[in-house]
Amino acid sequence: AHCVVDPATHVGQQGDFVFQPAFANGASAVSIAVDYMWWGTGTPDDHRGSDWAIMRLVTPIGDQYGWLGIQPTTIENFPLDLTVAGYSGDFHNGKTAGIDYHCKVHGSDAGLGVVFHDCDTTRGASGGPALRIVGNQVTIIGINVAERRDGGALSLHRDHYDEAHANMAIPSAAALEKLKAILSTP
C-alpha cells in the first residue's frame, strides 16, 4: 500500500500505473496498464499488517508469463524458511530483480501483523513476494513490506540479522480475502 497510497490524502495516488513483466536491466518488452487497484490501508506506516495493494491489469498476462499459487499463511503458520524477490536499490540500482533464496524468519509481531526476516532486501523491494520453494513448486506466502531503519530514508546495511533493524513481511492472509472477493465478482 505504501507504494501506491498518497501519504497526504490516504487514497491511491493519481496517475498512470503500469506493470512491466520480466523487467530487467531497466527495461521490459511490454508495459501493461493498470485499470484499478485496491489497498489494505490508507495509512500503511501505522498499519503495517495491512500494507498491501492489488492491481488489476487491462490485459491478462498469466497464460503468457506464468502463474504462482498462493499458500494461505498467518503469523501463526508462516514458514520459517522463505525466499524474497524484489527490486532492491542496492542490486543493479533496482533495475533488475534480485532474489534471496532460503533466508529465515526470526520472529513476529502479531500486533503489527508482520514477521521479521533476514532476507537481503533494501529500499525498492517493497511489494515483492515472499515465496516458498519446494522442489519445482513456487508459492506466494506473503509480501515483503518494510525494513526497520531508525526512521531514516536510507536502508541500513548489517553484517548479520539484527531484530532492531529487521526486514518485514506480511502473511498472505492479509490480502487473500480481498483477492478472493475480487476474483468472485463477475
Side-chain angles (χ1 to χ4, degrees), residues 23-172:
F23 187 82
N25 299 316
S28 173
V30 181
S31 186
I32 300 153
V34 171
D35 70 351
Y36 200 82
M37 63 183 166
W38 300 262
W39 54 89
T41 180
T43 54
D45 289 340
D46 298 330
H47 300 97
R48 194 58 73 192
S50 297
D51 189 2
W52 57 263
I54 298 171
M55 296 180 161
R56 183 176 64 198
L57 303 179
V58 171
T59 305
I61 61 168
D63 290 341
Q64 181 178 358
Y65 288 95
W67 298 89
L68 291 175
I70 299 175
Q71 177 184 341
T73 60
T74 62
I75 295 287
E76 294 78 23
N77 71 0
F78 201 91
L80 297 178
D81 295 311
L82 72 155
T83 294
V84 170
Y87 291 90
S88 290
D90 67 345
F91 183 76
H92 297 281
N93 295 316
K95 295 180 179 183
T96 298
I99 301 174
D100 192 5
Y101 293 95
H102 309 295
C103 27
K104 302 287 182 203
V105 169
H106 289 271
S108 63
D109 184 322
L112 290 176
V114 300
V115 297
F116 302 116
H117 65 83
D118 63 5
C119 297
D120 185 8
T121 62
T122 63
R123 194 176 174 93
S126 294
L131 304 165
R132 183 156 192 234
I133 302 173
V134 178
N136 290 332
Q137 180 141 7
V138 180
T139 54
I140 297 170
I141 58 173
I143 304 166
N144 187 58
V145 293
E147 58 183 324
R148 289 181 166 167
R149 54 181 181 229
D150 299 332
L154 299 176
S155 297
L156 304 174
H157 297 276
R158 299 283 186 240
D159 292 333
H160 55 82
Y161 176 79
D162 173 3
E163 185 176 336
H165 302 97
N167 291 317
M168 294 178 256
I170 58 173
S172 63

